């Protein structure tokens, strides 16, 4: 790096006895690694009380609807209205004079805290338990840092940090580390987010990070390596790159999230972000697709199928029947002799669910099936199954999405 | 001089033929050396012709497109035309060149020409008014006319010698016209034997004598084991025509373009870009200096035009711009239907596998999912990439003893890849129960059982096959004396363990479960109740059981034992049609107009059967993959178990 | 002048059989290099030259593999840095993380830092023009980002890069392995006490309140047959609403 970046206006935490930390009884519990809503069951194992995580909403369509908008980890906790209403009920933890610092550097992909980011803050809180304060180091604005557990916020807004700027960001975090000398720095271990940034920092600082941390507690980090075959148990080192769910996110409490002044930095940039390359969901290779809308022999109205896939922003896939028939190109075939896919969601219209097809979606977590046959294997495999003619459901779904989009 | 002219014509033609044959032989000699017992071959040749060739010709071609296009008609046509022609040739030389025999031989000559005419009528019937699509056109279409010209010319030329008319001079207008006709006929028929349609006659005879698989003749079971790679070749497998052994080049040259292979080929029927007849013809064309398929007049590879392929004896055969497109090579299921039908005893599958060996071992050009499968085989010893220790996960409750734990077993059960597949676990479970019912406690190898190597070998990966085979053989030889025989429900295992391991030093008695179950029923050790459901049942013969191993009776005996009367498909037994799995085709997955199993299910439908019995895990998967409505699919073991349980 | 590309490869390990093989990501890195016309590829491994799995890289069509002879479990960073400093390639390609040893994915970064090169991870493809590399970086959900960097640059490759070509037996056997003697390397220390990886249950997704359902959710998708919600013959609009709600609640669609 060309210059040594300096942080101004930032006080080192006081480690002497005089700087006493004000404690909050609720926060105490948290410091013990016991998130709100968790109690000890009879067998002494922590057991999560579901009632603390969601509230039963009003009855809709004669079914109990569960309002999960407050569920930690759902994408829009901070922004959603019901939570705002609940805010006054939350206690604020104040750590005025921290004994030490712990940095958490969230990815803020799309400018939002992801569930993974929130886990990182949860981990940071664990490591800050005995009097430390968590500093969120953010590139760009973020909401909900208080609920995630940040005591302080350092927000870098300069243009050099925008987009893919790992070198500038690494320099910034390194500068913060040089100034605050934090006990720990935590990042989500994502390939081109925290995982990239964290490894850059490790290389720059000449330290070894704990990577792909599977489980984090105040005294131990369990890192994963050796091609996923080994766990490495260690005392948490300074740099920690956390796998999803390595620590529980915070719940039922808020922290101050006080803004700290941001230093000016001279940052290197040898990499130029040329922006997202144009993406048509249908140019996405099936193996990488995030959301697949798939058609089988039960689909006859192909324009309705293409329309619904487009409205959903989903990648098109198909059973071998339709690919054989030339209705979809062959590289769109899902299954044993096509592509093995692992999207977050697989929506199947008119697919029977032959074993060779199901083999293609074994790693898929959420499956929705629309099929006229109640006994179809795909219906059995599905998390949400709808026994109805695909030709009728597809346009209805397209219409609904369009309405919501224009209504919103 | 005048009288000598017809004889000289034949003599000159025969000399020209000899010259052409020498040139042709030079083409074959460009091939690799081959160990051939020439004397034994020549001595055995007439027997091979009369027995094996005759049998093949006599079978009716598959899917006859034309009434009267029967094997018998073809055999008669050949007997009369070819027999008459050979005798006539000898007599022409005697009568016209050496003026021997006087009136008697002249009359005899006329008689043989008359015999030829009888054959010629059949030849006309075969080609007029329309021709079966499996037959080639071009020079073949001229043959009836050439024979007509031959008969007319030599009949007239022989009339004076027979004392029927006065000697005449050729120097007249009519005489010259007749002479021209005769000359043309001689060129077509004699000289043509060196390059034209009739070359099958000469080359066929040589091929029979120098055949690369002499063991196939007169054998009771098919000589179907693939041959190992030649140890000392600069290239592994075949890249250029000259990489084939010389007698293979000769073999291709014997093809008569009868299209019997084409009619039988499941890939061709499903519209995959493969036609075994054109494959052989392309190999013939590529064996010259400037080969192309422009002269080819038969059916093309489905979905592919004719006329743009080019090759030479020292040029790569396979390639998108070469003689044969890779898709054609990889569309073959190695089902051997072509080999079984071919009256010229050509070994298509050997050629296909030799070509694949080069593609896989030298180029790394195995298409689609096949390279991934080969990689899994190398890394895990299973096709599906799972550990061998998981092969018996489904059978935990059956408590199958490991061979390592028992002193001796009557039946070492070879599980195969079917152990990883839910569908086939049902079959295996039924088989275990049946064996126990009959008082046989089978043992298994457990994690020691590696893939047998069938898929690797058929995909041309001879090295992976060898590695798997050698390790399996080491394991099995380590248990020598501890098992009486190996039992398998997978005909591919039967083939590889039983017929292909011996070349690598593994000699075992391997039985297919159908054979064993038939034995057990007949010995009264299994007592199935008669099926009284009255449902129509047909049986699909697996290629690797029937055509590869010659076993077509045991499955039927099992079904008979359950009281099921099999409604046979048009193509059954040794002439069954492939389900589309073999040869690694499910992994190379070359697109066609249809799927091969869909075509096979059509055959099932024609019988009106509600159930198709199978005897191979791969057939079960392929046929069950056909979209409903279709017949149910059940393995023999499943059917028999149900019947045995009903009998209790 | 031909472009020098160094491709760093390691020995992979099959997850099911634990048998050595070419490493999935390293093979992809080599595939990318092989697709650069006229490139001068230096295939480099630090480790045991007699490891048969290394030949699988040669089977992809490279004539020579240079092996820096260090013992197993050595820290390969110093020898790689020294070798690459002398070689001065325009491009260094490697997989994102090794399949054996720590495989922490830190090596490419340390290497880049030591060589003073910029590093770009998750490269799915690239083009080279006038001394600069135009890179396509793979983002989640099949998205791609354009990144530009001046040469020399180090690229690490992940699963989004094109599948590696088949390794051909004959080429693998004919390829040459060049043994390069290097100074003794320090031993690599595992970052902590090593234990076999333990499968950790997924955090309970609060699909609904019933204990049994949460149990099933925890067991993951593989065991999920029959757990779902079923609507029989709903009105199309109700069906659409149900799908929409589900997608929204699972965060697949954003409201
Ligand atoms: C070796 C092998 C490999 C194979 N590999 C694959 C593979 O990779 N991928 C693959 O997909 N298949 C594969 N198959 C084929 C597979 O076995 C099935 O044949 C195929 O998946 C069936 O496709 P399908 O479900 O679209 O068609 P069908 O089986 O015809 O099912 C159509 C479904 O649509 C429903 N339906 C009908 N009308 C409507 C309507 N109006 N509205 C809603 N639903 C309706 C029906 O109830 C039925 O369930 C393979 C087969 C084999 C043998
Ligand atoms: S290969 Fe045999 S069956 Fe096929 S056309 Fe030639 S001679 Fe006939
Ligand atoms: S073996 Fe079978 S698939 Fe192959 S060419 Fe012969 S008939 Fe066709």
């Amino acid at each position: 790096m060309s210059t040594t970046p300096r942080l101004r206006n930032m006080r080192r935490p006081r480690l002497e006895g005089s700087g006493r930390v004000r404690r909050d009884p609720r926060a105490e519990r948290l410091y013990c690694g016991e998130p709100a809503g968790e109690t000890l069951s009879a067998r002494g194992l922590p057991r999560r009380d579901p009632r603390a995580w969601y509230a039963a909403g009003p009855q809709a369509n004669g079914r109990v609807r569960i309002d999960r908008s407050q569920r930690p980890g759902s994408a829009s906790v901070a922004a959603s209205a019901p939570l705002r209403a609940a805010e006054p009920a939350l206690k604020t933890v104040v750590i005025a004079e921290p004994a030490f610092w712990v940095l958490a550097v969230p990815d803020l992909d799309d400018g939002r805290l992801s569930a993974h980011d929130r886990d990182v803050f949860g981990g940071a809180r664990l490591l800050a338990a005995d009097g430390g304060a968590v500093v969120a180091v953010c590139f760009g604005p973020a909401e909900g840092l208080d609920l995630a557990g940040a005591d302080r916020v350092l927000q870098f807004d300069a243009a050099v940090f925008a987009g893919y700027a790992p070198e500038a960001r690494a320099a910034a975090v390194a500068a913060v580390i040089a100034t605050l000398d934090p006990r720990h720095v935590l990042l989500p271990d994502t390939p081109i987010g925290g995982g990239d940034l964290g490894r850059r920092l490790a290389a720059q600082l000449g330290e070894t990070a704990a990577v792909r941390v599977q489980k984090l507690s105040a005294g131990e980090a369990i890192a994963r390596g050796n091609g996923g075959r080994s766990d490495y148990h260690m005392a948490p080192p300074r740099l920690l790159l956390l796998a999803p769910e390595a620590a529980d996110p915070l719940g039922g409490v808020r922290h101050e999230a006080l803004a700290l002044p941001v230093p000016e930095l001279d940052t290197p940039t040898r990499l130029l972000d040329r922006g997202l390359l144009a993406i048509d969901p249908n140019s996405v290779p099936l193996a990488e697709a995030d959301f697949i809308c798939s058609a089988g022999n039960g689909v006859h109205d192909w324009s309705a199928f293409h329309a619904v896939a487009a409205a959903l922003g989903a990648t098109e896939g198909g059973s071998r029947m339709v690919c054989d028939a030339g209705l979809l190109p062959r590289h769109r075939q899902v299954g044993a002799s096509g592509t093995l896919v692992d999207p977050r969601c697989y929506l199947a219209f008119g697919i029977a669910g032959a074993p060779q097809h199901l083999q293609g979606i074994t790693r898929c977590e959420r499956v929705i099936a629309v099929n006229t046959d109640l006994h179809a294997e795909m219906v059995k495999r599905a998390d949400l199954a709808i026994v109805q003619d695909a030709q009728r459901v597809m346009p209805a779904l397209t219409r609904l999405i369009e309405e919501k989009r224009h209504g919103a | 001089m005048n009288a000598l002219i017809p004889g000289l014509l034949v003599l000159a033609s025969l000399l020209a033929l000899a010259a052409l044959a020498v040139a042709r032989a030079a083409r074959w000699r460009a091939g690799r050396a081959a160990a051939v017992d020439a004397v034994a071959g020549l001595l055995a040749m007439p027997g091979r012709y009369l027995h094996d060739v005759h049998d093949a010709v006599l079978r009716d071609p598959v899917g006859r497109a034309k009434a009267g296009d029967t094997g018998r008609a073809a055999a008669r046509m050949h007997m009369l035309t070819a027999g008459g022609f050979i005798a006539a040739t000898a007599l022409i030389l005697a009568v016209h060149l050496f003026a021997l025999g006087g009136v008697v031989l002249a009359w005899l000559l006329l008689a043989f020409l008359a015999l030829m005419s009888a054959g010629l009528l059949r030849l006309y019937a075969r080609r007029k008014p329309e021709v079966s699509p499996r037959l080639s056109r071009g020079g073949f279409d001229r043959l009836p006319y050439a024979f007509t010209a031959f008969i007319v010319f030599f009949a007239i030329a022989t009339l004076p010698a027979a004392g029927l008319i006065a000697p005449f001079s050729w120097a007249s207008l009519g005489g010259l016209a007749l002479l021209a006709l005769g000359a043309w006929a001689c060129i077509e028929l004699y000289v043509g034997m060196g390059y034209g349609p009739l070359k099958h006659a000469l080359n066929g005879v040589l091929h029979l004598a120098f055949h690369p698989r002499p063991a196939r003749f007169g054998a009771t079971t098919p000589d179907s084991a693939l041959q190992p790679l030649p140890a000392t070749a600069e290239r592994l497998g075949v890249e250029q025509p000259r990489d084939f052994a010389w007698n293979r080049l000769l073999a291709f040259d014997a093809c008569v373009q009868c299209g019997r292979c084409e009619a039988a080929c499941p890939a061709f029927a499903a519209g995959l870009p493969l036609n075994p007849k054109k494959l052989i013809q392309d190999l013939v064309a590529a064996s010259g200096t400037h080969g192309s398929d422009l002269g080819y007049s038969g059916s093309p590879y489905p979905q592919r035009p004719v006329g743009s392929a080019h090759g030479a004896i020292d040029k790569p055969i396979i390639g998108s711009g070469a003689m044969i497109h890779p898709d054609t090579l990889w569309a073959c299921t190695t089902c051997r239907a072509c080999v079984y039908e071919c009256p010229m005893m050509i070994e298509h599958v050997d050629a296909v596998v030799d070509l694949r060996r080069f593609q896989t071992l030298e180029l790394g050009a195995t298409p689609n999912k096949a390279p991934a499968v080969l990689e899994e085989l190398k890394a895990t010893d299973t096709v599906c990439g799972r550990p061998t220790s998981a092969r018996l996960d489904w059978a935990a409750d059956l408590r199958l003893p490991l061979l390592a734990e028992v002193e001796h077993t009557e039946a070492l059960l070879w599980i195969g890849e079917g152990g990883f597949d839910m569908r086939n676990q049902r079959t295996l479970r039924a088989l275990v129960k049946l064996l126990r019912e009959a008082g046989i406690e089978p043992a298994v190898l457990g994690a020691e059982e590696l893939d047998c190597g069938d898929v690797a070998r058929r995909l041309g990966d001879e090295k992976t096959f060898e590695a798997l085979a050698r390790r399996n053989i080491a394991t099995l030889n380590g248990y020598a004396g501890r098992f009486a025989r190996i039992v398998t429900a997978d005909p591919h295992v039967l083939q590889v363990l039983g017929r292909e391991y011996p070349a690598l030093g593994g000699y075992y008695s391997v039985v297919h479960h159908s054979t064993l179950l038939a034995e057990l029923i007949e010995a009264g050790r299994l007592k199935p109740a008669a099926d009284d459901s009255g449902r129509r049942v047909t049986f699909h013969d697996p290629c690797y059981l029937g055509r590869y191993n010659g076993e077509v009776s045991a499955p039927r005996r099992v079904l008979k034992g359950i009281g099921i009367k099999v409604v046979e498909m048009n193509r059954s037994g040794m002439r069954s049609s492939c389900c589309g799995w073999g040869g690694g085709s499910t992994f190379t997955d070359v697109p066609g107009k249809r799927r091969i199993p869909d075509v096979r299910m059509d055959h099932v439908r024609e019988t009106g059967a509600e159930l198709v019995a199978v005897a191979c895990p791969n057939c079960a998967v392929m046929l069950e993959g056909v979209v409903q409505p279709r017949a149910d699919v059940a393995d023999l073991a499943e059917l028999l178990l149900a019947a045995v349980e009903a009998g209790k | 002048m031909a472009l020098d590309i160094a491709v760093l490869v390691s020995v992979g390990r099959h997850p099911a059989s634990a048998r050595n093989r070419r490493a999935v990501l390293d093979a992809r890195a080599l595939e990318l290099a092989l697709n650069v016309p006229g490139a001068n590829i230096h295939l480099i491994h630090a480790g045991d030259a007699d490891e048969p799995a290394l030949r699988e890289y040669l089977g992809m069509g490279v004539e020579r593999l240079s092996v820096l002879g260090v013992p197993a479990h050595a820290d390969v960073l110093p020898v790689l840095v020294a070798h690459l400093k002398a070689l001065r390639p325009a491009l260094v390609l490697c997989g994102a993380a090794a399949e054996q040893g720590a495989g922490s994915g830190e090596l490419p970064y340390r290497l880049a830092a030591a060589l003073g090169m910029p590093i770009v991870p998750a490269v799915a493809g690239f083009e080279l023009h006038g001394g600069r590399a135009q890179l396509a970086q793979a983002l989640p959900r099949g998205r791609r980002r354009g990144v530009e960097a001046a040469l020399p640059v180090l690229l690490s490759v992940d699963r989004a890069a094109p599948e590696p070509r088949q390794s051909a037996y004959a080429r693998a056997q004919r390829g040459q392995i060049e043994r390069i003697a290097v100074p003794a390397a320090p031993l690599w220390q595992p970052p902590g006490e090593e234990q076999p990886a333990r499968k950790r249950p997924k955090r309970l997704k609060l699909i609904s309140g019933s204990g049994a359902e949460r149990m099933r959710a925890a067991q993951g998708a593989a065991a999920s047959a029959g757990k779902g919600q079923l609507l029989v013959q709903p009105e199309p609009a109700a069906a659409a609403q149900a799908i929409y709600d589900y997608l929204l609640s699972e965060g697949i669609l954003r409201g």
Side-chain angles (χ1 to χ4, degrees), chain C residues 139-170:
Chain C
L139 308 191
R141 301 178 207 174
R143 291 170 305 163
R144 298 281 184 271
R145 172 156 57 204
V147 177
E148 189 181 320
L151 301 180
V153 60
L154 190 149
L155 309 178
S156 90
V157 165
D158 81 358
R159 289 200 172 257
E163 269 196 41
R165 66 194 59 190
Q166 187 177 3
S167 173
Y169 170 85

Side-chain angles (χ1 to χ4, degrees), chain B residues 431-553:
Chain B
L431 178 56
V432 170
K433 286 190 179 163
L434 285 168
L435 291 177
R436 286 183 172 162
E437 188 70 35
I440 298 174
E441 182 59 20
V444 291
L445 285 178
E448 287 185 286
E449 179 191 321
L450 316 179
D451 185 83
C452 67
D454 165 68
V455 171
R457 192 168 217 199
R458 268 71 196 172
L459 287 172
D461 193 344
E462 191 68 3
K463 294 295 170 181
T464 299
F465 163 73
E466 274 178 20
L468 289 165
R470 287 192 197 288
R471 289 164 61 214
N472 276 327
I473 289 170
T475 304
L476 289 170
N477 288 354
Y479 288 116
R482 308 244 316 252
F483 58 93
R485 42 186 183 172
I486 300 173
V487 179
T488 176
D490 186 339
H492 297 262
V493 171
L494 176 73
Q495 170 69 14
V496 171
L497 263 60
R499 289 176 183 266
E500 303 192 354
Y501 279 13
L504 297 167
Y507 303 89
Y508 316 107
S509 154
V510 189
V511 279
H512 188 245
H513 72 320
S514 62
T515 312
L516 179 62
L517 294 175
E519 274 174 26
L520 293 175
I521 296 172
E522 284 153 10
R525 287 169 76 180
L526 287 174
K527 298 194 175 55
D531 179 275
D532 53 7
S533 64
R535 60 188 165 170
R536 279 173 89 81
V537 179
T538 188
F539 176 67
H540 164 75
D541 291 87
C543 310
Y544 276 70
L545 187 60
R547 271 188 304 273
Y548 274 80
N549 281 279
E551 178 64 279
V552 296
S553 94

Side-chain angles (χ1 to χ4, degrees), chain A residues 88-152:
Chain A
L90 289 182
K91 263 237 150 124
T92 303
V93 182
V94 176
I95 300 175
E97 305 203 3
F100 59 91
W101 302 107
V102 173
L103 302 190
V105 189
D107 273 356
L108 295 176
D109 207 7
D110 297 340
R112 305 185 198 211
L113 279 177
S114 65
H116 195 173
D117 285 340
R118 238 176 277 278
D119 297 342
V120 168
F121 277 101
R125 285 251 59 92
L126 285 176
L127 297 179
D130 48 351
V134 173
V135 183
V137 181
C138 299
F139 298 96
E143 277 185 88
L145 293 169
D146 51 347
L147 295 165
D151 302 298
R152 308 285 187 277

Side-chain angles (χ1 to χ4, degrees), chain B residues 112-395:
Chain B
F112 275 109
L113 290 175
L115 208 64
M116 276 182 77
S117 316
L120 182 58
L121 287 181
R122 291 177 194 272
L123 185 57
Y124 271 106
R126 184 178 166 91
R127 300 205 150 256
K128 301 281 167 209
E130 80 275 319
V131 187
S132 283
R134 66 181 168 84
L135 295 174
S136 287
R137 313 298 299 267
F140 289 92
D141 276 351
R142 292 199 306 274
L143 274 186
Y145 308 123
F147 274 111
T148 312
F150 180 88
I151 292 166
V152 168
F153 174 77
F154 284 104
I156 295 177
T158 309
L159 291 179
L164 292 174
I165 58 169
F168 58 90
S169 159
W170 295 105
S172 66
L173 197 61
L176 282 177
L178 208 58
L179 204 54
L181 192 71
W184 174 69
C186 285
I187 290 170
E188 285 276 333
L189 301 182
Y190 290 111
V191 188
M193 249 188 276
Y195 65 87
L198 287 186
K199 78 177 154 69
H200 76 278
L202 186 58
N203 298 355
V205 165
L206 296 174
H207 174 45
L208 279 183
F210 307 136
H211 199 281
R213 282 179 177 273
R216 74 171 274 172
F217 297 103
T220 46
T221 52
D223 177 30
S224 55
L226 289 181
Q227 295 173 339
L229 273 174
T232 56
E234 57 178 303
R235 283 181 286 268
L236 302 176
V238 169
E239 180 193 30
Q240 310 161 7
R242 60 180 173 164
D243 297 336
F244 280 113
W246 70 266
N247 54 350
R248 301 261 175 200
L249 295 178
L250 161 61
F252 306 145
D253 230 355
C255 169
V256 58
Q257 305 192 39
C258 66
R260 289 185 182 225
C261 53
E262 166 187 321
C265 176
F268 182 82
L272 276 70
L274 167 61
N275 175 348
K277 166 170 134 179
K278 179 156 199 291
L279 180 88
I280 298 299
Q281 283 307 308
D282 282 352
L283 291 174
V284 172
S287 308
T289 39
H290 297 289
S292 101
D293 64 345
L294 278 169
Y296 177 72
S297 60
S299 321
Y301 296 128
Q303 316 176 50
R304 296 282 148 89
V306 172
S308 49
H310 296 281
I313 185 88
D314 55 357
K315 296 260 160 53
I317 299 169
I318 305 296
S320 41
M323 202 71 214
I324 297 174
H325 193 280
D327 283 354
T328 296
L329 179 64
W330 296 104
C332 173
T333 70
T334 68
C335 74
R336 278 181 74 86
C338 49
V339 179
Y340 186 75
E341 299 298 332
C342 180
M344 305 308 294
M345 311 283 121
I346 296 169
E347 298 278 346
H348 312 63
V349 175
D350 288 347
V352 164
V353 171
D354 271 341
L355 288 164
R356 287 183 178 184
R357 285 173 176 171
F358 183 84
Q359 297 295 306
T360 297
L361 294 173
E362 292 275 357
L363 295 186
T366 329
N368 267 322
K369 302 236 145 181
V373 167
L374 294 176
E375 216 161 327
E376 294 295 11
L377 275 170
K378 275 180 241 170
T380 65
D381 307 319
T382 66
V383 167
C384 59
R386 297 183 48 205
T388 52
S389 56
R391 197 190 299 274
L392 282 165
D393 281 1
W394 56 276

